[in-house]
Amino acid sequence: MLKRLKPLILCAISAVALAVASPAGAAEVLADGTSLTRVNGAVELSIALSAPTPFRTFTLDSPRRLVVDLGETSLEAMPRGLSSAIPEVSALRFGLFQLGQSRIVLDLAVPMVIESAVATKDARIHIRLVSASAADFAVAAIAPPAALWRPEQLASSVEGAEGLPLIALDAGHGGIDNGAQRDGVSEKDITLQMARMLRDVLLEDGHYRVILTRDRDIYIPLGERVEIARRAGARAFVSLHADVVTLGRARGTTVFSLSEAGESQQAVTIATLENRSDLVAGISVEGEDDQLTQVLLQMAHRQTDALSNRFADTMAEALWVYNDKEIKSRRMAAGFRVLRAPDIPSVLIELGFMSDKSDLENLQDPEWQLSMAENLLHGLNLWMKVEKDMRGLLRN
Ligand SMILES: [Zn+2]
């Protein structure tokens, strides 16, 4: 009988355990003994580990997911394609969720609840899921306390000489959220390479300070990316992406600003893809993150929107001039959650599209990456001048 199933928090991850877990001492998932099987209508997930590690598991609704959190654990040996023969599980993904915490997420094709979740002495975790009605699933699906997310764990730091304008560079996706994938290449790796490259170019130029929202392969919620930039006092926010487009053909660089309406179907499709990041990572977006976003939106001043639009125009113009003549930059707008800082001019740049063969080659080419970073520097230099004039006009 299923009554008010509370999320199963079987082994509380203490603050200490999270803070001290390091990759060096981390447990590893072992391929041998890790499996996903169907047993008499139930689905069983077994995870074999090299050493015992704290874990907890819970389910989330809309869409239906099972989340397994582990103390920082290497997931490199996790077998691929575990879910392919299990119709109840439509996808399985995993990765570093935040410092000291790894996460495995199963997308459930049908409502299933956790019947049992146990760790054995030989460092194995067994989770048994049984089918349930949609109503019972909804009752059982409760997000864990938000306190688990601790911003102070983030390693973001400002680089560059004091007094210079601070640019926040946001490498899209990361950790459990791979972003787009094509031919074995993950968007999260390209965006991180580009963010680091652009950071180096900006620091070498000597006119900027830089903060990265992430400097490693880690998942960071969209709202938190904005907060990192705000806490640091960023003057501009640049989110870097390289997606796969299934609607129409997209090629070359596209610069986006925030628009609640969305200009074109393709812009709306791309925004929807980017906004999925929190869902992919197993965060309940109907929760406080959305409330935070609402508050931020209410606070939002028209001035920032005007500045963001002009910022995006300026970047697109600069890229139009400096980019490869064959591939012109485009300018679009849509409802990106990561562009909702109320007080920082923000743009999202799709550097290229992994769905385009030549873009995909470029995106992986260090020489192309460097020239793109230099073009973005030209754009930022231009924007600093334009912004100064614009703020002067807005003040008068
Ligand atoms: Zn993306």
Side-chain angles (χ1 to χ4, degrees):
M1 216 18 212
L2 280 164
K3 283 185 190 159
R4 300 186 44 80
L5 277 174
K6 290 259 162 67
L8 274 137
I9 301 184
L10 290 131
C11 185
I13 304 174
S14 73
V16 175
L18 273 175
V20 299
S22 69
E28 283 171 51
V29 166
L30 307 173
D32 194 17
T34 297
S35 63
L36 187 66
T37 49
R38 293 172 88 197
V39 185
N40 301 329
V43 170
E44 294 186 359
L45 173 65
S46 295
I47 305 164
L49 296 157
S50 63
T53 188
F55 87 102
R56 63 172 195 170
T57 183
F58 54 92
T59 46
L60 289 174
D61 210 344
S62 334
R64 295 187 181 110
R65 288 153 288 167
L66 170 81
V67 177
V68 183
D69 283 335
L70 303 163
E72 186 160 326
T73 301
S74 164
L75 297 162
E76 254 165 61
M78 185 89 185
R80 312 271 152 177
L82 276 183
S83 62
S84 57
I86 312 287
E88 289 87 350
V89 178
S90 51
L92 184 152
R93 54 187 179 275
F94 46 85
L96 185 61
F97 181 66
Q98 61 177 348
L99 295 187
Q101 186 187 352
S102 298
R103 174 168 280 193
I104 300 170
V105 179
L106 273 67
D107 289 336
L108 302 174
V110 296
M112 298 196 96
V113 294
I114 301 164
E115 187 189 66
S116 63
V118 292
T120 60
K121 276 199 182 119
D122 59 348
R124 279 162 198 263
I125 295 167
H126 296 286
I127 298 164
R128 186 175 157 87
L129 297 168
V130 292
S131 59
S133 67
D136 282 338
F137 182 90
V139 170
I142 305 169
L148 201 79
W149 176 251
R150 280 186 295 281
E152 67 271 19
Q153 290 178 347
L154 295 168
S156 312
S157 57
V158 175
E159 294 171 84
E162 226 166 284
L164 297 173
L166 176 64
I167 311 294
L169 300 179
D170 174 49
H173 311 278
I176 192 166
D177 172 20
N178 291 314
Q181 289 181 288
R182 192 49 64 97
D183 302 346
V185 182
S186 291
E187 183 188 357
K188 67 173 182 180
D189 297 326
I190 289 175
T191 60
L192 184 56
Q193 284 164 18
M194 274 304 304
R196 286 172 173 161
M197 183 79 85
L198 181 53
R199 171 193 59 193
D200 294 348
V201 165
L202 292 182
L203 291 176
E204 196 176 304
D205 180 62
H207 293 91
Y208 300 97
R209 287 180 302 145
V210 179
I211 186 168
L212 299 189
T213 57
R214 69 178 180 96
D215 190 18
R216 57 184 292 193
D217 184 16
I218 188 170
Y219 168 74
I220 296 180
L222 297 175
E224 180 58 24
R225 293 166 189 260
V226 176
E227 283 305 301
I228 289 169
R230 297 187 74 220
R231 277 197 299 268
R235 175 106 164 254
F237 180 90
V238 180
S239 187
L240 300 171
H241 289 261
D243 274 82
V244 164
V245 166
T246 49
L247 183 87
R249 188 155 177 272
R251 188 177 178 212
T253 314
T254 311
V255 183
F256 287 90
S257 60
L258 175 68
S259 150
E260 290 311 315
E263 255 173 15
S264 68
Q265 190 51 47
Q266 195 176 60
V268 171
T269 307
I270 292 169
T272 306
L273 266 176
E274 301 303 2
N275 292 345
R276 261 182 56 81
S277 181
D278 285 345
L279 285 180
V280 168
I283 286 216
S284 174
V285 286
E286 296 91 76
E288 60 184 301
D289 188 38
D290 240 26
Q291 278 169 18
L292 172 77
T293 308
Q294 284 306 317
V295 173
L296 290 178
L297 271 178
Q298 282 160 17
M299 284 164 57
H301 202 279
R302 286 219 179 96
Q303 188 174 320
T304 308
D305 288 349
L307 287 167
S308 290
N309 281 324
R310 193 63 191 280
F311 183 16
D313 289 343
T314 306
M315 294 303 282
E317 282 160 22
L319 294 174
W320 181 281
V321 173
Y322 291 105
N323 265 7
D324 186 327
K325 297 271 181 295
E326 301 264 298
I327 310 167
K328 293 300 186 187
S329 56
R330 298 187 301 170
R331 171 77 172 81
M332 294 172 107
F336 294 96
R337 293 165 61 90
V338 80
L339 297 184
R340 288 179 178 175
D343 43 8
I344 309 171
S346 304
V347 296
L348 184 144
I349 301 180
E350 297 282 357
L351 298 157
F353 291 94
M354 286 169 54
S355 36
D356 182 85
K357 203 164 172 278
S358 69
D359 275 9
L360 181 58
E361 272 172 28
N362 285 340
L363 288 162
Q364 298 175 82
D365 175 2
E367 254 177 66
W368 184 91
Q369 290 178 349
L370 180 60
S371 75
M372 173 55 82
E374 283 165 351
N375 296 348
L376 292 168
L377 165 66
H378 289 308
L380 282 168
N381 287 341
L382 195 56
W383 165 240
M384 285 295 135
K385 291 195 195 105
V386 172
E387 191 205 20
K388 205 167 154 230
D389 295 346
M390 239 184 126
R391 283 196 191 267
L393 282 174
L394 287 164
R395 256 197 305 275
N396 297 331

